[in-house]
Amino acid sequence: MLKMPVVMLSSVTELLRYIDENQLTPEFGGTLEYCHSDWVILRTAIESFAVTVKEIAQMLQAFGTELAETELPDDIISIEYLLIANTDKYKQLKVGLH
């Protein structure tokens, strides 16, 4: 279990000993401009981006695994078919990224 010290402060000035004024809003003696609605919008966008990146990584991983585990057939026609099928899958993934 992590132990965190608790410090009791009697003024905002004492807070500046522990936190830089760039990290505090003006009402606490700092210089940080903060807008909660902007923060919510940015946080939501970051979380959405993170989910999208994870989904894309999983799709690419699955495609790469499928390619690596595919055994190549012995005849040219089957190889051509496999190449066309994998090219189509690649193009679908690529379109999904844009």
Side-chain angles (χ1 to χ4, degrees):
M1 185 173 189
L2 295 174
K3 295 184 179 183
M4 299 290 290
V6 176
V7 179
M8 300 300 288
L9 304 173
S10 58
S11 71
V12 173
T13 307
E14 289 182 36
L15 182 62
L16 295 175
R17 288 188 215 161
Y18 300 95
I19 299 176
D20 189 82
E21 69 179 39
N22 308 3
Q23 299 173 328
L24 295 173
T25 56
E27 61 265 18
F28 292 109
T31 59
L32 177 69
E33 293 298 323
Y34 175 77
C35 174
H36 190 67
S37 60
D38 287 347
W39 182 89
V40 169
I41 290 167
L42 291 173
R43 178 63 189 241
T44 303
I46 289 169
E47 289 178 6
S48 175
F49 178 72
V51 167
T52 302
V53 168
K54 181 179 178 183
E55 290 172 351
I56 290 170
Q58 289 172 339
M59 288 188 309
L60 292 174
Q61 179 69 37
F63 183 62
T65 300
E66 183 181 338
L67 289 176
E69 294 176 351
T70 300
E71 289 189 35
L72 293 177
D74 293 334
D75 62 294
I76 293 175
I77 293 174
S78 297
I79 291 173
E80 286 177 343
Y81 172 77
L82 187 61
L83 183 60
I84 290 168
N86 285 335
T87 301
D88 287 343
K89 288 179 188 177
Y90 167 76
K91 286 178 182 177
Q92 289 172 357
L93 281 173
K94 193 173 175 181
V95 167
L97 296 176
H98 292 146

PDB file of all heavy atoms in Angstrom, residues 54-68:
ATOM      1  N   LYS A  54      -6.163   2.058 -30.275  1.00  0.00           N
ATOM      2  CA  LYS A  54      -6.176   0.672 -29.800  1.00  0.00           C
ATOM      3  C   LYS A  54      -6.897  -0.239 -30.794  1.00  0.00           C
ATOM      4  O   LYS A  54      -6.416  -1.333 -31.104  1.00  0.00           O
ATOM      5  CB  LYS A  54      -6.851   0.599 -28.430  1.00  0.00           C
ATOM      6  CG  LYS A  54      -6.883  -0.789 -27.846  1.00  0.00           C
ATOM      7  CD  LYS A  54      -7.546  -0.798 -26.482  1.00  0.00           C
ATOM      8  CE  LYS A  54      -7.622  -2.216 -25.933  1.00  0.00           C
ATOM      9  NZ  LYS A  54      -8.326  -2.260 -24.655  1.00  0.00           N
ATOM     10  N   GLU A  55      -8.032   0.202 -31.309  1.00  0.00           N
ATOM     11  CA  GLU A  55      -8.794  -0.596 -32.276  1.00  0.00           C
ATOM     12  C   GLU A  55      -7.990  -0.822 -33.552  1.00  0.00           C
ATOM     13  O   GLU A  55      -7.956  -1.932 -34.087  1.00  0.00           O
ATOM     14  CB  GLU A  55     -10.126   0.081 -32.597  1.00  0.00           C
ATOM     15  CG  GLU A  55     -11.115   0.053 -31.456  1.00  0.00           C
ATOM     16  CD  GLU A  55     -12.346   0.897 -31.709  1.00  0.00           C
ATOM     17  OE1 GLU A  55     -12.385   1.658 -32.715  1.00  0.00           O
ATOM     18  OE2 GLU A  55     -13.287   0.815 -30.892  1.00  0.00           O
ATOM     19  N   ILE A  56      -7.330   0.217 -34.034  1.00  0.00           N
ATOM     20  CA  ILE A  56      -6.522   0.097 -35.245  1.00  0.00           C
ATOM     21  C   ILE A  56      -5.352  -0.859 -35.010  1.00  0.00           C
ATOM     22  O   ILE A  56      -5.052  -1.715 -35.849  1.00  0.00           O
ATOM     23  CB  ILE A  56      -6.025   1.482 -35.716  1.00  0.00           C
ATOM     24  CG1 ILE A  56      -7.201   2.305 -36.242  1.00  0.00           C
ATOM     25  CG2 ILE A  56      -4.944   1.343 -36.786  1.00  0.00           C
ATOM     26  CD1 ILE A  56      -6.888   3.757 -36.500  1.00  0.00           C
ATOM     27  N   ALA A  57      -4.701  -0.732 -33.871  1.00  0.00           N
ATOM     28  CA  ALA A  57      -3.583  -1.617 -33.550  1.00  0.00           C
ATOM     29  C   ALA A  57      -4.045  -3.072 -33.504  1.00  0.00           C
ATOM     30  O   ALA A  57      -3.340  -3.967 -33.991  1.00  0.00           O
ATOM     31  CB  ALA A  57      -2.954  -1.209 -32.222  1.00  0.00           C
ATOM     32  N   GLN A  58      -5.217  -3.321 -32.932  1.00  0.00           N
ATOM     33  CA  GLN A  58      -5.743  -4.685 -32.869  1.00  0.00           C
ATOM     34  C   GLN A  58      -6.063  -5.225 -34.261  1.00  0.00           C
ATOM     35  O   GLN A  58      -5.783  -6.386 -34.564  1.00  0.00           O
ATOM     36  CB  GLN A  58      -6.985  -4.734 -31.976  1.00  0.00           C
ATOM     37  CG  GLN A  58      -6.675  -4.559 -30.509  1.00  0.00           C
ATOM     38  CD  GLN A  58      -7.918  -4.410 -29.646  1.00  0.00           C
ATOM     39  OE1 GLN A  58      -8.995  -4.052 -30.133  1.00  0.00           O
ATOM     40  NE2 GLN A  58      -7.769  -4.659 -28.356  1.00  0.00           N
ATOM     41  N   MET A  59      -6.644  -4.376 -35.122  1.00  0.00           N
ATOM     42  CA  MET A  59      -6.946  -4.801 -36.494  1.00  0.00           C
ATOM     43  C   MET A  59      -5.660  -5.130 -37.252  1.00  0.00           C
ATOM     44  O   MET A  59      -5.577  -6.149 -37.945  1.00  0.00           O
ATOM     45  CB  MET A  59      -7.727  -3.716 -37.249  1.00  0.00           C
ATOM     46  CG  MET A  59      -9.150  -3.553 -36.806  1.00  0.00           C
ATOM     47  SD  MET A  59     -10.137  -2.434 -37.843  1.00  0.00           S
ATOM     48  CE  MET A  59      -9.144  -0.963 -37.936  1.00  0.00           C
ATOM     49  N   LEU A  60      -4.657  -4.261 -37.124  1.00  0.00           N
ATOM     50  CA  LEU A  60      -3.393  -4.498 -37.812  1.00  0.00           C
ATOM     51  C   LEU A  60      -2.690  -5.738 -37.275  1.00  0.00           C
ATOM     52  O   LEU A  60      -2.100  -6.511 -38.042  1.00  0.00           O
ATOM     53  CB  LEU A  60      -2.486  -3.271 -37.695  1.00  0.00           C
ATOM     54  CG  LEU A  60      -2.956  -2.028 -38.454  1.00  0.00           C
ATOM     55  CD1 LEU A  60      -2.058  -0.843 -38.136  1.00  0.00           C
ATOM     56  CD2 LEU A  60      -3.006  -2.285 -39.946  1.00  0.00           C
ATOM     57  N   GLN A  61      -2.753  -5.936 -35.958  1.00  0.00           N
ATOM     58  CA  GLN A  61      -2.158  -7.127 -35.352  1.00  0.00           C
ATOM     59  C   GLN A  61      -2.829  -8.388 -35.884  1.00  0.00           C
ATOM     60  O   GLN A  61      -2.155  -9.357 -36.240  1.00  0.00           O
ATOM     61  CB  GLN A  61      -2.275  -7.070 -33.828  1.00  0.00           C
ATOM     62  CG  GLN A  61      -1.711  -8.278 -33.118  1.00  0.00           C
ATOM     63  CD  GLN A  61      -0.202  -8.352 -33.218  1.00  0.00           C
ATOM     64  OE1 GLN A  61       0.470  -7.343 -33.169  1.00  0.00           O
ATOM     65  NE2 GLN A  61       0.319  -9.550 -33.366  1.00  0.00           N
ATOM     66  N   ALA A  62      -4.145  -8.384 -35.950  1.00  0.00           N
ATOM     67  CA  ALA A  62      -4.886  -9.543 -36.457  1.00  0.00           C
ATOM     68  C   ALA A  62      -4.537  -9.811 -37.915  1.00  0.00           C
ATOM     69  O   ALA A  62      -4.325 -10.966 -38.317  1.00  0.00           O
ATOM     70  CB  ALA A  62      -6.391  -9.320 -36.295  1.00  0.00           C
ATOM     71  N   PHE A  63      -4.452  -8.747 -38.718  1.00  0.00           N
ATOM     72  CA  PHE A  63      -4.114  -8.899 -40.135  1.00  0.00           C
ATOM     73  C   PHE A  63      -2.696  -9.445 -40.284  1.00  0.00           C
ATOM     74  O   PHE A  63      -2.449 -10.359 -41.075  1.00  0.00           O
ATOM     75  CB  PHE A  63      -4.262  -7.563 -40.864  1.00  0.00           C
ATOM     76  CG  PHE A  63      -3.999  -7.634 -42.346  1.00  0.00           C
ATOM     77  CD1 PHE A  63      -4.788  -8.418 -43.164  1.00  0.00           C
ATOM     78  CD2 PHE A  63      -2.979  -6.896 -42.917  1.00  0.00           C
ATOM     79  CE1 PHE A  63      -4.555  -8.478 -44.534  1.00  0.00           C
ATOM     80  CE2 PHE A  63      -2.742  -6.948 -44.277  1.00  0.00           C
ATOM     81  CZ  PHE A  63      -3.537  -7.737 -45.087  1.00  0.00           C
ATOM     82  N   GLY A  64      -1.762  -8.907 -39.521  1.00  0.00           N
ATOM     83  CA  GLY A  64      -0.375  -9.381 -39.568  1.00  0.00           C
ATOM     84  C   GLY A  64      -0.263 -10.835 -39.137  1.00  0.00           C
ATOM     85  O   GLY A  64       0.471 -11.626 -39.754  1.00  0.00           O
ATOM     86  N   THR A  65      -0.991 -11.198 -38.092  1.00  0.00           N
ATOM     87  CA  THR A  65      -0.986 -12.592 -37.627  1.00  0.00           C
ATOM     88  C   THR A  65      -1.558 -13.514 -38.697  1.00  0.00           C
ATOM     89  O   THR A  65      -1.013 -14.581 -38.971  1.00  0.00           O
ATOM     90  CB  THR A  65      -1.798 -12.727 -36.321  1.00  0.00           C
ATOM     91  OG1 THR A  65      -1.197 -11.889 -35.329  1.00  0.00           O
ATOM     92  CG2 THR A  65      -1.837 -14.151 -35.830  1.00  0.00           C
ATOM     93  N   GLU A  66      -2.648 -13.085 -39.315  1.00  0.00           N
ATOM     94  CA  GLU A  66      -3.260 -13.883 -40.391  1.00  0.00           C
ATOM     95  C   GLU A  66      -2.284 -14.085 -41.541  1.00  0.00           C
ATOM     96  O   GLU A  66      -2.136 -15.194 -42.063  1.00  0.00           O
ATOM     97  CB  GLU A  66      -4.533 -13.196 -40.884  1.00  0.00           C
ATOM     98  CG  GLU A  66      -5.276 -13.966 -41.942  1.00  0.00           C
ATOM     99  CD  GLU A  66      -6.525 -13.239 -42.438  1.00  0.00           C
ATOM    100  OE1 GLU A  66      -7.045 -12.379 -41.711  1.00  0.00           O
ATOM    101  OE2 GLU A  66      -6.955 -13.531 -43.558  1.00  0.00           O
ATOM    102  N   LEU A  67      -1.581 -13.015 -41.925  1.00  0.00           N
ATOM    103  CA  LEU A  67      -0.600 -13.136 -43.008  1.00  0.00           C
ATOM    104  C   LEU A  67       0.542 -14.079 -42.630  1.00  0.00           C
ATOM    105  O   LEU A  67       0.973 -14.914 -43.424  1.00  0.00           O
ATOM    106  CB  LEU A  67      -0.024 -11.756 -43.369  1.00  0.00           C
ATOM    107  CG  LEU A  67      -0.957 -10.787 -44.083  1.00  0.00           C
ATOM    108  CD1 LEU A  67      -0.272  -9.439 -44.273  1.00  0.00           C
ATOM    109  CD2 LEU A  67      -1.404 -11.344 -45.424  1.00  0.00           C
ATOM    110  N   ALA A  68       1.019 -13.945 -41.400  1.00  0.00           N
ATOM    111  CA  ALA A  68       2.151 -14.762 -40.951  1.00  0.00           C
ATOM    112  C   ALA A  68       1.788 -16.239 -40.843  1.00  0.00           C
ATOM    113  O   ALA A  68       2.639 -17.104 -41.076  1.00  0.00           O
ATOM    114  CB  ALA A  68       2.654 -14.241 -39.607  1.00  0.00           C
TER     115      ALA A  68
END
